[in-house]
């Protein structure tokens, strides 16, 4: 099983009821990322205000993992501190690339720990990371 | 033997993993044999026994264990040769997998050291493959084209998932040096008829390679009957272990080909200045070969032969017919590949409307212990051809049952409920 | 752990084959580990267990078995990386044996597609090896020289069996692109000091490969400490299975190198026109990898680590000192290789005056069940250097005892009686 | 064991007391063959008289297998029918290359069956065949 069923439900929940989905104005930067292996796509916008992430809005298509991951990202990043949200991206990346060996820190990752089980499937890691990488990219560009 | 009824329940008992309980108490429904097959205990046991009682390096050792190991290794070559009706055991080269076998063939072309005209390749020359190939029968040829400046061309695929040979004469032209095609597609299940291609290749003097990775495990294959010059297949898909593949090639071609990997065992005489090479198959088996893996593959050939490849093929055809009908009932299911159980194997790839294959696979596994493969199955160009990024694939083998197909269909209905 | 006495009797119990009875009731004295080592039951059992309970293809499968198999395969990479203190697990490429690893490195040079200056090779450029190399570290470079027009040069060997680095500066000159040397000779036992060679190579901008096939099984090897760029070794000589070898290379070089074998798993994105490649190590692992073999190799690393490589090295040094003294007493015995147990491993090659090594080996095996290797041990140029066609070689490992050396010496006396 | 001990003794016997060793006159053809792998060498002369092999004389160095094989060859070939001796060479070659799977025919091969066990060691097959191949070569040349 990819993860405990509680977490599966959480992923499904986010998939069926994505948080903050849709592209919104105003935004600083828009990026478009594709996972060529499975065709998943995401268009993502960020709006920063000083040290804060004011909004993360997105539109995309793909499997439940990639869609739910975008929803969870929105939940965790929108309204949070920029530095903190980037740390969270790093923690999530580490978890995903950890082949199931990295113990997720629920304090840092919140609902994103639901994806822990994905880390055991190299082919799925990119699905989970798609929107997170897009977010990191967008933040870097809006700061750069 | 082939007249006996096919006793799938008895066969299943030979595969310990099939009765394994998965975490959460799920039982296993293994529908991913096209990816890799499971191993009967006869194979596992042959390997264990060899490791614990007869192991040594082969060829060069002159002691009792060395002789036993050499005998076991070379017996495996006999078994594989017999399994595909090779005219000579010396035409069987052990590689690490089918991919290495195909690369070995590709690297024989355009080698500046080689003088045989058939293997000369450069700008203006042509390599022909198809759009339904596995990446292992695409990338080696792309790399070859890049190294040599030759041109890579390919057959298209029809909407029904058959090889489109309408442009045969133009595609395989006088400049063509090599044509490399799957005998059976790992996505569509399509079994390609080789005779028109071989016939045309002969006319223009091109050589023909067949990727039989998905064919040799599932039907009787007689290498000579195919008319091909090279045939690649792989141990782990035919009840054998990982770490071993096979290249069959006509003896005369193996002789004409330059060495690929250099090292111990493939040589005749080495000085610092230069070397001469052993005759095939040794010439292409540099270094310590997959000894224990050969023993396992030999045992796999014995196992499959004891059941009978014709019987296995018949069983799979029955399963395929059953599965095609059963899947046709699933709403929103689009089959990619032939819809009739003719000239096709037991590989069933499909999409479910509105649901990503990743999600199909995850729910099937999570809730029912059903193992299918999802993605592009190392055949991305074929998926692009059908305008889809990925499919769900159920691939069946001798140990699968109609009950398991029913389970799959039930699982798909559930998937549709979850994501509905 | 390393303070405990080395309990060779306990270790021997882990190797079922060592207590096997040979035909005719002879017991086995296995002195051929340099050719291939025996396997402890921990390794055999790990492979059997994997095959019977966790087997599936890796990476691309998304079901429970696929996840278990992937985890087991990648865990093995972690274990191998830790075993040789690799800075990153991604620097560990699984090949089929050491020979493939060395060929992989050789094929990275002079590839017309590659643009990295360090790997460009053509007429005027130089490849440097040595006269004590195994054929697997000679022939790949000869083939490379032939393909590219580069020049192959080599270090000589002193009468004592040491690498003759007196001409170091001349040999490794500004035109040198790659130097490839054995860390430990499979005939002489000599352990080469790499620092002068690496130092000189750095001066001229050449890369350095080490053939560590005979080193990694017998002593602690820290890849970074060697200073080398590439290190090759092989599973079957270190208590692991056949069918798997290892190439370690600095991450940055793996990135700069062109792909070698093309196929599934080594790609990122494939279209019919062209492909992009996965990052290393996947880039160099085309096709289904040696999954079960990796599991076995991982278990072998665990096994060796549980005893301790430093302890194994110490045990072998004691055996070597004992054997050197014992063999010195045999009249007419000429040792080829260092006579003192310093900077040399437990590999003892020799001739017996007037008696052909083939006959030595035959009588030792026939009458006493003593397994040694006879011939040129895939190092013919080295034998030519010493003016002999062949030697008898006893090569020892963690499970060997001084009693077995005594048995060898008794056997040699008997051989001399038979042929006297 | 390479072979049953009786046969080993037979090989040793031939090695220690080689039959017909030494190069003799008159001869029709002399050939020199080398086994590069182990350095074994043989110089061999044949003298034919019509359908008969009148003499096979040789000189060489190498392991007991290669030396004994030359001695056995002499014993079987010298004084025999040319056709018959070539058939014997073929039978011996088949036995040696048969990886221990070919049942030797003692009527055809005589003492040469002692070498049956060698067939299981690819590295040794050439030792046994060295003088036999030299003989075949010499006969061909003297007839050609
Ligand atoms: C020094 C050395 N290099 C390379 C090899 C080749 O290893 P493998 O046969 O596993 O490719 C060997 C062993 O045969 C060896 O002893
Ligand atoms: C059609 C086809 N060709 C080639 C291969 C490659 O085989 P291997 O992974 O054993 O090299 C496969 C399986 O992955 C296949 O299905």
């Amino acid at each position: 099983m990819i993860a405990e069923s509680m977490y599966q439900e959480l992923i499904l929940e986010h998939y069926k009821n994505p948080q903050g989905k849709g592209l919104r104005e105003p935004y600083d930067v828009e990026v478009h990322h594709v996972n060529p292996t499975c065709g998943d796509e995401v268009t993502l916008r960020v709006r920063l205000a000083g040290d804060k992430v004011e909004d993360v809005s997105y539109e995309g298509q793909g499997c439940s993992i990639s869609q739910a991951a975008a929803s969870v990202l929105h939940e965790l990043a929108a309204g949070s501190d920029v530095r903190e949200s980037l740390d969270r991206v790093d923690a999530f990346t580490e978890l995903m690339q950890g082949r199931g060996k990295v113990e997720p820190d629920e304090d840092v990752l919140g609902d994103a720990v639901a994806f822990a089980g994905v880390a055991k499937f190299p082919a799925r890691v990119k699905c989970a990371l798609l929107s997170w990488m897009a977010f990191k990219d967008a933040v870097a560009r809006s700061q750069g | 033997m082939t007249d006996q009824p096919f006793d799938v329940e008895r066969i299943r008992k030979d595969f310990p993993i099939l009765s394994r309980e998965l975490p959460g108490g799920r039982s296993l429904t293994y529908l991913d044999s096209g990816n890799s097959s499971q191993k009967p205990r006869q194979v596992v046991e042959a390997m264990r026994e060899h490791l614990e009682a007869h192991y040594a390096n082969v060829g060069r050792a002159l002691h009792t264990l060395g002789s036993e190991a050499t005998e076991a290794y070379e017996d495996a070559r006999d078994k594989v040769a017999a399994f595909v009706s090779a005219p000579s055991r010396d035409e069987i080269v052990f590689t690490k997998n089918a991919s290495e076998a195909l690369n070995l063939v590709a690297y024989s072309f355009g080698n500046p050291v080689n003088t045989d005209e058939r293997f000369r390749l450069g700008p203006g020359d042509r390599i022909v493959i198809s759009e339904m190939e596995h990446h292992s029968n695409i990338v080696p040829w792309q790399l070859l084209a890049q190294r040599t400046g030759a041109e890579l061309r390919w057959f298209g695929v029809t909407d029904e998932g058959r090889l489109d040979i309408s442009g045969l004469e133009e595609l395989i032209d006088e400049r063509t040096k090599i044509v490399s095609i799957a005998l059976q597609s790992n996505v569509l299940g399509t079994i390609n008829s080789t005779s028109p291609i071989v016939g045309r290749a002969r006319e223009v003097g091109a050589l023909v390679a067949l990727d039989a990775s998905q064919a040799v495990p599932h039907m009787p294959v007689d290498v000579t009957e195919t008319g091909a010059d090279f045939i690649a297949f792989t141990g782990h898909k035919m009840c054998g272990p990982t770490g071993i593949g096979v290249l069959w090639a006509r003896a005369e071609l193996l002789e004409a080909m330059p060495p690929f990997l250099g090292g111990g065992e493939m040589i005749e005489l080495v000085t610092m200045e230069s070397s001469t090479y052993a005759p095939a198959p040794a010439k292409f088996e540099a270094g310590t070969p997959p000894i224990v893996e050969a023993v396992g593959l030999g045992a796999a050939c014995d196992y499959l032969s004891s059941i009978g490849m014709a019987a296995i093929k018949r069983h799979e055809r029955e399963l395929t017919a059953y599965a095609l009908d059963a899947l046709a009932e699933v709403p929103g299911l689009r089959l990619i590949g032939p819809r009739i159980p003719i000239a096709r194997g037991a590989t069933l790839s499909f999409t479910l409307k509105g649901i990503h294959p990743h999600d199909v696979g995850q729910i099937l596994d999570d809730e029912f212990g059903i193992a299918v493969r999802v993605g592009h199955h190392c055949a991305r160009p074929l998926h692009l051809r059908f305008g889809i990024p990925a499919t769900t694939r159920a691939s069946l083998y001798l140990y699968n049952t109609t009950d398991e197909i029913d389970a799959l269909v039930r699982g798909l209905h559930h998937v549709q409920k979850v994501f509905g």
Side-chain angles (χ1 to χ4, degrees), chain A, chain B:
Chain A
M1 285 181 289
I2 279 193
E4 304 308 322
S5 38
M6 185 189 74
Y7 291 129
Q8 285 179 52
E9 272 167 31
L10 205 144
I11 291 175
L12 264 184
E13 190 51 42
H14 274 280
Y15 175 59
K16 291 189 174 172
N17 303 299
Q19 304 299 300
K21 192 167 180 170
L23 295 171
R24 286 179 292 277
E25 309 261 359
Y27 63 93
D28 303 327
V29 166
E30 176 181 301
V31 296
H32 181 73
H33 279 212
V34 179
N35 176 352
T37 341
C38 59
D40 289 2
E41 299 189 18
V42 71
T43 304
L44 183 141
R45 295 176 176 176
V46 293
R47 167 72 175 174
L48 304 187
D51 291 346
K52 282 255 171 290
V53 180
E54 209 168 85
D55 193 19
V56 181
S57 69
Y58 64 95
E59 196 56 80
Q61 57 171 50
C63 65
S64 60
I65 298 289
S66 77
Q67 297 304 292
S71 170
V72 170
L73 168 74
H74 168 86
E75 208 169 70
L76 293 173
S80 81
D81 187 72
V82 172
R83 191 61 263 152
E84 209 173 279
S85 73
L86 289 178
D87 286 350
R88 210 169 260 145
V89 172
D90 289 347
F92 189 65
T93 309
E94 200 203 352
L95 175 65
M96 286 299 99
Q97 293 177 343
R99 299 186 298 117
K101 312 260 164 211
V102 174
E103 202 48 59
D105 182 344
E106 194 150 0
D107 289 348
V108 176
L109 287 172
D111 279 4
V113 296
F115 295 86
V118 172
K120 289 194 181 176
F121 299 94
R124 298 306 297 278
V125 168
K126 280 187 182 168
C127 309
L129 284 177
L130 182 66
S131 54
W132 291 64
M133 290 296 106
F135 172 71
K136 190 176 177 176
D137 182 18
V139 171
R141 291 199 207 180
S142 52
Q143 290 182 328
Chain B
M1 168 177 54
T2 44
D3 292 314
Q4 285 169 20
F6 195 84
D7 188 349
V8 69
E9 285 312 321
R10 191 181 55 69
I11 288 171
R12 288 178 71 83
K13 291 211 176 69
D14 290 332
F15 292 80
I17 207 170
L18 296 182
S19 40
R20 197 198 128 177
E21 190 174 280
L22 300 179
R26 292 164 299 159
S27 62
L28 171 67
T29 299
Y30 190 74
L31 305 180
D32 196 20
S33 296
N35 197 354
S36 199
S37 76
Q38 295 300 340
K39 323 303 172 199
R41 55 184 167 68
Q42 289 85 339
V43 167
V44 180
E45 186 50 28
M47 292 170 70
R48 192 198 58 69
E49 218 258 326
H50 185 82
L51 280 167
E52 292 195 349
H54 307 289
Y55 182 77
N57 213 326
V58 297
R60 45 200 180 183
L62 298 186
H63 42 69
T64 307
L65 293 180
S67 142
E68 291 177 357
T70 304
E71 201 172 326
Y73 179 67
E74 296 299 339
D75 278 0
R77 200 189 304 278
D78 287 337
K79 288 175 184 181
V80 171
F83 193 75
V84 294
S85 306
S88 160
R89 66 183 308 277
D90 294 334
E91 295 177 340
I92 299 296
V93 175
F94 286 130
T95 60
K96 68 173 176 177
N97 52 26
S99 303
E100 186 197 345
L102 291 163
N103 278 277
L104 193 170
V105 177
Y107 271 100
S108 326
F109 288 86
N111 185 325
V113 178
N114 195 31
T115 52
D116 191 293
E117 193 49 49
R118 294 168 295 179
F119 292 94
R120 216 171 267 173
L121 193 83
D125 291 326
R126 194 178 263 194
I127 303 159
V128 176
I129 59 174
S130 96
E131 219 173 353
M132 68 166 79
E133 299 311 312
H134 187 280
H135 293 162
S136 291
N137 198 25
I138 298 176
V139 184
W141 305 110
Q142 289 180 338
L143 293 172
L144 174 63
Q146 282 168 31
R147 283 195 306 273
T148 59
E151 182 197 19
L152 182 66
R153 298 289 300 275
W154 50 89
F155 287 99
V157 171
T158 68
D159 290 343
E160 292 72 40
R162 301 286 181 186
L163 202 64
D164 177 3
I165 57 165
S166 58
L168 180 68
E169 313 266 308
E170 266 158 276
L171 195 58
I172 303 181
D173 66 4
E174 310 289 333
R175 295 168 301 168
T176 306
K177 288 303 195 64
I178 172 80
V179 182
S180 189
I181 301 284
L183 190 46
Q184 176 170 332
S185 158
N186 69 318
V187 177
L188 307 165
T190 307
I191 297 169
N192 290 315
S193 156
T194 57
S195 49
I197 292 165
V198 169
R200 176 61 183 158
R202 291 285 165 266
E203 276 172 29
V204 301
L207 294 169
V208 177
L210 292 181
D211 175 2
S213 304
Q214 296 286 349
V216 168
H218 300 286
M219 59 171 118
V221 170
D222 177 322
V223 292
T224 313
E225 266 179 20
T226 65
D229 299 295
F230 309 98
I231 293 189
F233 52 102
T234 197
H236 66 94
K237 291 191 206 282
M238 53 188 286
C239 298
T242 49
I244 189 161
V246 178
L247 173 67
W248 169 84
R250 291 194 291 110
E252 177 260 323
L253 290 169
L254 289 175
E255 199 181 319
M257 284 152 70
F260 173 40
L261 304 179
E265 303 306 299
M266 56 72 76
I267 53 91
E268 186 183 67
L269 203 61
V270 177
T271 66
M272 291 309 286
E273 288 77 15
S274 69
S275 302
T276 54
Y277 310 109
K283 178 176 163 189
F284 298 104
E285 295 182 354
T288 301
I291 302 167
V292 184
E293 292 67 28
V295 169
L297 181 55
C301 290
D302 284 347
Y303 180 77
L304 292 172
S305 300
S306 76
I307 294 165
M309 288 310 296
I312 291 171
K313 184 181 177 182
R314 207 156 42 228
H315 174 67
E316 290 188 26
R317 192 167 46 220
E318 282 163 21
L319 289 180
T320 306
Y322 187 92
L324 285 168
D325 287 347
L327 291 177
E329 304 287 305
V330 179
L333 186 147
R334 175 186 172 205
L335 190 82
I336 309 296
R339 255 157 260 269
I340 48 167
I342 293 171
R344 66 129 49 239
T347 299
L348 303 127
S349 300
F350 54 85
T351 57
L352 273 194
K353 200 176 163 71
I355 308 175
H356 195 286
H358 281 167
D359 292 321
V360 177
Q362 177 179 339
I363 299 291
L364 287 179
D365 179 51
D366 266 21
E367 311 257 332
F368 306 100
I370 298 174
V372 294
R373 188 169 169 192
V374 297
H376 54 48
H377 321 307
C378 299
R380 186 168 176 272
L382 180 66
H383 282 78
L384 292 181
R385 153 70 182 80
F386 284 96
I388 45 179
T391 51
T392 300
R393 181 184 77 180
S395 54
L396 312 172
Y397 206 10
L398 73 161
Y399 39 65
N400 289 119
T401 65
T402 51
D403 283 355
E404 293 180 305
I405 296 165
D406 293 342
L408 171 66
V409 170
R410 275 196 308 276
L412 293 175
H413 284 297
H414 181 79
V415 167
Q416 289 180 317
K417 241 181 28 220
V418 172
F419 290 98

